[in-house]
Amino acid sequence: MNANNSNDKIILWLGTANGLNKLVISDEPKNLQELQLDVEIIKYTVENGLSDNSVESILEDENGNLWIGTSSGISFFNITDETFTNYGIADGLSGGSFNASAACETQGDILLFGSTKGLNYFDPKRVSQSNYLPAVVITNFQIFNQPIGNDAKSDINQNIIHKKEIVLSYDQNDFSFEFASLDYNAPEMNQYAYMMEGFDKDWIYCGNRRYVTYTNLDPGEYVFQVKATNSDGSLYLIRNAETKRRKRKEEERLRKEREEALLREAELKAKNIEHEKELEKHKIRNRIAQDLHDEIGSNLSSISLMSELVQKDGKINPDVLAKINRIQKVAKGSSQAMRDIVWLTNPSSDNIKDLVSKMNEVANDMLGGLKWNFNFPRNLIEITLTPEIKRNVFFIYKESLNNIVKHSGAKNVYINLSEMNDQIILKISDDGKGFNTNAVSTGNGLKNILNRAKEIGGKLELNSNPGKGTELLLEVNITQLRD
C-alpha cells in the first residue's frame, strides 16, 4: 500500500489479487449538517493496461509515479495521465512471478524487486517511458563473409530487406546477418537482441552490436528474429545486469568444460601410459621366452641327446653308465620344464585356446599309460588371460595329473574344462583308490595347489573317499577381452 496527500485529500494505492486500486479520501463535508469522510475508489486492471491483475508490490519514485510488481512483470503507472508501460523478460527482467512485498528502494533511489527467478534492480530516472517501438530490418546477409551477390551458388537476387525466406545448400554453413533499428534519433543508443529459433534457447542481448554469425548449423528449418529498443534504451540497467549474469553463467560453464576436458586428457594420458607399460612388458616377455628357448632350452636338449648317445657305447663302465642315465633323465625333464616356462612367458600364448592346447599336450605326455578323456567346448571364444591366471591354472592342472599318476592307482582319468559367466571351470576326476580327505596331511603337492588357487582368488574343492576315486574342482574368475 502506498499513500500521498494532495491538499485536503488522501490518496491510497492498494494492490490486490484483482488489480490496482486508488482510494481517494476527502474530509470535505457534503453539506453543513453532515460531517463525514468521502471515499472514492478507482480500479485499474489489465483492461486499463496493467500487465497482470495480481499485484504483489508497489514502489513510488521521486515523481510520485508507481512501479508495480505483478505476476507477469513490472508495470510503470504514470499518475498524471494514468497510463501503464509494461516490462517483462524481453526488456531484461529475470522473469517469473514477483514475490509479495519483496520490493524496496535504496538510499541511492535504486528500486529493487524480488521474483521467483531472481533479483531485479534499476534506477527509475534512467528508464525512458517512450512508447515508440522502432521497426528492425535485416540490412545485409553474407555467406562465408562475402555478400550474397558474390556467391555464385546463391539464388538470392532481390534485396534482403524484402526477403522472407532463404534456402541454402549443405555447404553454405557459415553465414551472417546484419540488422538495424529504424530509430534515427540516437542510433548509437539502440539496443538489440536476436534469436535463431531451433538453435538459440533464449534471446541473446548484444547491446548495440548489429550483426551475428552462425556456423555449422544442422540441416533443418530455422527462424531468425531480431528486436531493438528505441534510442532511450528502456530498462537498460536491468538488461545490463542480466547480461552480466549470463556472462558469469557462461564463464562458469566454460570453466567446468575446461576442467572436464583436462580431466579427460589426464585419464587418456594415464591409459596411454598404462598401455605403453603393457607393451613394454610384452616385449620383455617375448625377449625372455626367446632367450630361454634359444640358449638354455637348446643346451638341455643337447645334454639329453649326448647322454643318450653315450649310453649306447658298450665299453662304458656300468656305474658310469647309470650316472649318465640319470643325467639324461634330468636333462630330459629339465628340457620339458623349460618348454613349459617358455610357453608361460610368451605373451602370444595368453589365450584360453592356447591353454587348452597345452593342457591336452601335457595329458598326452603324462597319462600315456592310462585311459583318459579331455572334454572342452569346440567353439571356445577368444579370451585373453592374465599371465597370473594362465600360470597358476596350468600348474594346478599339471600337479593334479602328477598326483594321479604317482598315487591314485587309477585306470581312467576324466578332464573337463569350460568357460561360463567370465569363469574358467576345471574338473579333474579319476577312478583310483581315493583317500580320506580329513585324515591326509597336506603334502607339498596339495599345499602348492591350494596356494596357487588362493593367489588367483579361485575356489578349489577336493572330494575323495577310499575306493571311490578323487575329484578336483577349480573355479576362477577371469578378465575377458574379446577380439
Side-chain angles (χ1 to χ4, degrees):
M1 179 179 72
N2 281 56
N4 51 51
N5 296 324
S6 176
N7 297 326
D8 53 358
K9 293 182 181 180
I10 298 175
I11 299 176
L12 299 178
W13 297 98
L14 301 178
T16 71
N18 296 312
L20 176 68
N21 294 275
K22 178 181 180 182
L23 277 67
V24 182
I25 303 174
S26 174
D27 59 0
E28 292 183 359
K30 294 183 178 179
N31 52 60
L32 295 176
Q33 287 74 32
E34 297 181 12
L35 294 175
Q36 63 180 17
L37 296 179
D38 182 26
V39 179
E40 180 184 8
I41 301 176
I42 303 173
K43 187 175 182 180
Y44 304 89
T45 66
V46 292
E47 294 180 357
N48 305 106
L50 184 64
S51 62
D52 193 290
N53 284 339
S54 181
V55 175
E56 307 294 345
S57 57
I58 303 174
L59 292 178
E60 186 178 40
D61 63 21
E62 62 182 10
N63 297 318
N65 297 316
L66 304 181
W67 296 85
I68 306 165
T70 73
S71 294
S72 301
I74 292 177
S75 290
F76 169 78
F77 183 66
N78 189 313
I79 62 172
T80 302
D81 56 18
E82 296 190 339
T83 58
F84 289 94
T85 303
N86 299 318
Y87 302 98
I89 295 177
D91 300 294
L93 294 179
S94 59
S97 174
F98 282 83
N99 298 325
S101 302
C104 67
E105 181 179 6
T106 70
Q107 291 183 349
D109 297 329
I110 299 297
L111 303 186
L112 292 88
F113 286 85
S115 76
T116 56
K117 293 293 183 66
L119 179 66
N120 303 265
Y121 61 93
F122 57 93
D123 183 350
K125 295 189 296 294
R126 297 182 58 185
V127 179
S128 171
Q129 305 308 320
S130 170
N131 292 321
Y132 171 59
L133 298 177
V136 183
V137 296
I138 296 175
T139 59
N140 194 13
F141 180 75
Q142 296 185 348
I143 301 176
F144 293 107
N145 294 322
Q146 298 295 325
I148 56 176
N150 298 338
D151 187 353
K153 296 183 178 181
S154 176
D155 62 350
I156 306 171
N157 297 316
Q158 67 184 80
N159 194 314
I160 190 63
I161 292 178
H162 306 293
K163 197 71 175 176
K164 298 298 182 183
E165 182 182 73
I166 299 175
V167 179
L168 302 175
S169 65
Y170 72 94
D171 57 346
Q172 294 175 314
N173 57 359
D174 185 314
F175 52 85
S176 306
F177 292 98
E178 290 185 12
F179 39 82
S181 168
L182 297 185
D183 179 7
Y184 302 112
N185 183 39
E188 70 279 359
M189 295 298 295
N190 292 334
Q191 305 294 312
Y192 296 89
Y194 62 84
M195 178 172 64
M196 181 73 79
E197 289 187 6
F199 181 76
D200 296 321
K201 295 182 179 180
D202 201 351
W203 286 97
I204 298 173
Y205 293 92
C206 55
N208 57 7
R209 177 166 58 87
R210 300 188 298 105
Y211 65 90
V212 60
T213 298
Y214 288 93
T215 60
N216 297 324
L217 266 67
D218 293 332
E221 294 185 1
Y222 300 89
V223 177
F224 180 71
Q225 298 187 64
V226 61
K227 61 184 180 179
T229 68
N230 55 39
S231 57
D232 291 333
S234 300
L235 287 186
Y236 178 73
L237 185 61
I238 294 180
R239 182 175 296 112
N240 192 39
E242 174 68 10
T243 300
K244 290 180 179 179
R245 185 188 68 82
R246 293 187 181 183
K247 183 179 179 181
R248 289 194 300 269
K249 186 176 180 180
E250 180 67 12
E251 288 174 348
E252 178 66 15
R253 183 185 67 80
L254 293 175
R255 183 187 65 79
K256 289 182 178 180
E257 287 184 355
R258 285 194 296 269
E259 290 178 354
E260 291 172 357
L262 289 174
L263 180 60
R264 288 194 298 270
E265 184 179 356
E267 291 175 348
L268 183 59
K269 280 185 178 180
K271 289 181 180 179
N272 288 338
I273 291 173
E274 190 65 27
H275 182 63
E276 290 174 0
K277 287 181 179 178
E278 286 299 318
L279 288 178
E280 187 62 27
K281 288 180 183 178
H282 276 230
K283 291 179 182 178
I284 294 173
R285 290 177 63 195
N286 267 324
R287 187 163 60 249
I288 292 173
Q290 185 175 353
D291 292 344
L292 289 173
H293 178 271
D294 293 345
E295 299 295 332
I296 301 176
S298 178
N299 291 340
L300 287 173
S301 297
S302 298
I303 292 172
S304 178
L305 180 60
M306 286 187 291
S307 300
E308 188 176 347
L309 292 174
V310 171
Q311 290 180 62
K312 295 179 180 180
D313 190 343
K315 299 178 181 180
I316 297 178
N317 183 288
D319 291 337
V320 175
L321 187 61
K323 293 177 181 178
I324 293 174
N325 186 43
R326 286 198 297 274
I327 292 173
Q328 193 266 339
K329 287 183 178 179
V330 171
K332 186 175 181 180
S334 298
S335 181
Q336 177 59 47
M338 184 56 61
R339 285 197 295 272
D340 291 344
I341 293 173
V342 170
W343 175 79
L344 288 167
T345 306
N346 193 340
S348 64
S349 63
D350 292 347
N351 190 288
I352 194 170
K353 290 185 177 180
D354 290 287
L355 177 62
V356 168
S357 178
K358 186 66 176 178
M359 292 170 71
N360 193 62
E361 177 188 323
V362 170
N364 191 54
D365 290 341
M366 298 182 66
L367 304 178
L370 304 175
K371 290 183 179 179
W372 59 277
N373 179 265
F374 186 12
N375 183 46
F376 59 89
R378 302 299 170 181
N379 59 340
L380 273 174
I381 59 176
E382 293 290 333
I383 300 177
T384 299
L385 306 174
T386 65
E388 291 78 13
I389 289 178
K390 182 179 78 168
R391 182 180 69 253
N392 286 290
V393 170
F394 175 73
F395 280 125
I396 289 172
Y397 170 78
K398 191 172 182 180
E399 186 68 33
S400 299
L401 296 191
N402 186 58
N403 288 339
I404 291 173
V405 172
K406 285 186 176 181
H407 308 296
S408 72
K411 295 182 179 179
N412 296 281
V413 180
Y414 307 95
I415 305 167
N416 187 81
L417 182 97
S418 60
E419 180 275 328
M420 182 180 297
N421 298 328
D422 293 344
Q423 277 193 329
I424 286 180
I425 303 172
L426 173 65
K427 183 162 72 171
I428 304 172
S429 57
D430 64 66
D431 60 355
K433 58 186 179 182
F435 59 92
N436 187 343
T437 57
N438 296 322
V440 69
S441 60
T442 56
N444 288 335
L446 183 56
K447 185 177 180 181
N448 288 339
I449 289 176
L450 292 172
N451 287 338
R452 289 187 181 279
K454 184 177 180 181
E455 183 178 337
I456 55 178
K459 178 182 176 183
L460 188 139
E461 293 182 7
L462 189 63
N463 302 309
S464 183
N465 286 299
K468 294 186 178 180
T470 302
E471 179 184 271
L472 178 143
L473 180 64
L474 174 68
E475 297 179 357
V476 181
N477 292 323
I478 57 176
T479 300
Q480 185 169 305
L481 301 174
R482 304 189 180 193
D483 294 338

